[in-house]
Amino acid sequence: MSRARYPRRLPAVALVAGLALAVSACGGGTTGTVVPEAAPSASAEQLNPNANLSKQNLTISVWPGYTPEDLAARVEEKLKVKVKVATHDTNEIIMGKLTAGADSGIDVAFVSGQYAQALNEAGLLEPIHPELIPNLANLYPEAKELAYDPGNTFSVPYTWGTTGICYRTDLLKTPPTSWNDLLAPPVDARKKVTMMTTERWLALPAVKALGLSVNTKSEEDLAKVKEKLIAAKPYLLGYDDVTFGDRLKSGEAVMVEAWDGWCPTSEKNIKFVVPKEGSDLWVDTMVVLKSSKNKEAAHAFINFILDPKIHGWAALNILYKVPNKAAMDKVPAELKQKNAPLQMSPSELLAGESIIDLGEDSAKYTRLATEVKAAQ
């Protein structure tokens, strides 16, 4: 099996700060998981459920390796719709395209939840029309309880998971149970620990260790987070969003901050744990652009993805859980046994705190990450 070669969230620090200002309509969240009242519907037009899809063309933008290589051919065979698949390496790159002010030509984009929220509050998304997506019935009920989009009104979840500590059982005397084990590691782990470089995830270990919300905007809170992260720097091997799994397998690292699906738990001596202080709930979604001239085909595409045989590809090939009960029921027990994160239930995932868009306050996390990484 192959994994996606690129993570969903590589940093583009300057661009993030710019987007926070450009999408100033993004009201941001409170320090809990309550989302501000959404902007009015992006479009009031009525879609035609009997539209001739063969007269529509689709352009999809997705992370490399995040869908089957023959996705376009499969969609064309099933829906008789011509499909072009474009790729973006990061959320920031696709956000730059979608918020540039002109029609991007993209019909459906894959973005993480808080970015979908930002796009919707900027008036750039078509509301989801459930009558055109009958396969929404395959989703877990919990998939409608996502803080950035309760009820899936403007986005449809594709994958979901959490962040924790991925570690070598044979190279650590004591298994980690707390974020503090990562921030202040035991002697045998010092200089063999990595943390993520993307802003919200760089902050996450210290945020949760301090008992704070992943969506805190408090300057006082973030000052404490900064202090704790700087204190952890002498123990780090480095900040790493890409190669931490390889470093763990080689033994260069013994403990790393990791997204669950990127922790190589199929390896004999590698395990994943959600620290006792709790963690996040991240979601990658599909959204339809308001500017799309092929909205019926866009909805038909999302419905196609939600077919259990199609949606289950992500769990089988990139080891990310999908919020599709029918698809997860088809994942072989042997694969789940070898990759413990695949065994997490929706209720366990929802115990994590949803990351939401913070609007202009997102720049605070950009500044935090920059200052922490620059600190001596």
Side-chain angles (χ1 to χ4, degrees):
M1 291 182 299
S2 64
R3 292 174 184 247
R5 292 184 58 81
Y6 300 92
R8 304 173 311 281
R9 309 175 180 89
L10 290 180
V13 176
L15 182 55
V16 172
L19 286 174
L21 297 174
V23 193
S24 59
C26 309
T30 65
T31 55
T33 57
V34 178
V35 178
E37 184 175 339
S41 295
S43 172
E45 71 178 272
Q46 295 296 313
L47 300 190
N48 179 10
N50 299 312
N52 185 348
L53 300 185
S54 65
K55 294 185 178 181
Q56 298 189 13
N57 299 314
L58 283 179
T59 297
I60 312 300
S61 190
V62 64
W63 296 281
Y66 220 50
T67 54
E69 289 186 6
D70 62 346
L71 178 64
R74 291 192 191 188
V75 175
E76 290 179 22
E77 180 181 4
K78 179 70 174 180
L79 303 180
K80 312 305 179 187
V81 175
K82 291 291 184 182
V83 178
K84 176 185 176 182
V85 178
T87 58
H88 55 265
D89 290 350
T90 70
N91 275 300
E92 290 79 12
I93 288 173
I94 187 60
M95 288 291 282
K97 292 180 180 179
L98 299 180
T99 60
D103 182 358
S104 65
I106 294 169
D107 299 289
V108 177
F110 286 67
V111 297
S112 296
Q114 67 269 35
Y115 294 88
Q117 180 191 346
L119 290 169
N120 183 63
E121 292 177 356
L124 298 177
L125 296 186
E126 173 74 14
I128 294 298
H129 296 258
E131 68 277 10
L132 300 184
I133 312 178
N135 282 338
L136 285 170
N138 291 330
L139 296 180
Y140 290 105
E142 291 87 348
K144 295 184 178 181
E145 300 174 15
L146 303 170
Y148 64 85
D149 181 17
N152 311 135
T153 61
F154 56 80
S155 64
V156 174
Y158 177 67
T159 55
W160 59 359
T162 190
T163 309
I165 299 175
C166 187
Y167 65 99
R168 286 285 294 262
T169 60
D170 56 332
L171 300 179
L172 277 178
K173 293 180 180 178
T174 305
T177 59
S178 167
W179 285 116
N180 286 309
D181 294 328
L182 190 78
L183 294 160
V187 174
D188 59 329
R190 292 177 182 176
K191 291 294 185 180
K192 297 181 179 180
V193 172
T194 70
M195 289 170 49
M196 290 183 175
T197 186
T198 308
E199 297 139 4
R200 301 288 289 274
W201 285 271
L202 184 150
L204 178 66
V207 166
K208 299 310 290 186
L210 290 166
L212 303 172
S213 166
V214 296
N215 300 306
T216 182
K217 299 180 287 185
S218 161
E219 295 281 5
E220 182 180 356
D221 286 351
L222 293 175
K224 294 176 182 177
V225 169
K226 176 182 173 181
E227 181 181 1
K228 200 166 185 66
L229 290 172
I230 290 176
K233 286 194 71 174
Y235 308 122
L236 289 181
L237 171 64
Y239 297 101
D240 184 358
D241 281 8
V242 180
T243 65
F244 56 76
D246 292 333
R247 285 174 153 181
L248 206 61
K249 287 189 282 188
S250 71
E252 181 186 6
V254 299
M255 182 166 47
V256 301
E257 179 188 7
W259 295 303
D260 48 0
W262 274 56
C263 178
T265 51
S266 57
E267 299 288 324
K268 180 180 178 182
N269 296 311
I270 296 179
K271 288 190 176 181
F272 176 85
V273 64
V274 176
K276 62 185 179 182
E277 298 91 353
S279 189
D280 65 336
L281 166 62
W282 60 258
V283 185
D284 289 337
T285 75
M286 299 174 284
V287 298
V288 178
L289 277 298
K290 179 182 178 182
S291 57
S292 170
K293 299 175 178 62
N294 308 289
K295 293 185 177 72
E296 289 88 356
H299 281 74
F301 169 83
I302 293 175
N303 190 63
F304 174 81
I305 291 291
L306 295 184
D307 182 291
K309 293 179 181 178
I310 305 300
H311 206 177
W313 181 94
L316 296 174
N317 289 273
I318 58 175
L319 303 181
Y320 278 151
K321 293 173 291 298
V322 297
N324 184 320
K325 184 180 187 303
M328 290 303 295
D329 286 346
K330 293 180 179 294
V331 176
E334 181 181 358
L335 185 64
K336 291 180 179 179
Q337 185 65 32
K338 289 182 178 179
N339 298 277
L342 287 175
Q343 302 172 28
M344 294 183 70
S345 68
S347 60
E348 288 175 313
L349 283 175
L350 261 68
E353 188 179 8
S354 291
I355 296 175
I356 62 174
D357 176 67
L358 299 178
E360 293 184 11
D361 286 306
S362 296
K364 295 179 180 178
Y365 283 86
T366 301
R367 183 170 64 250
L368 170 71
T370 300
E371 292 175 351
V372 168
K373 285 184 279 190
Q376 300 298 317

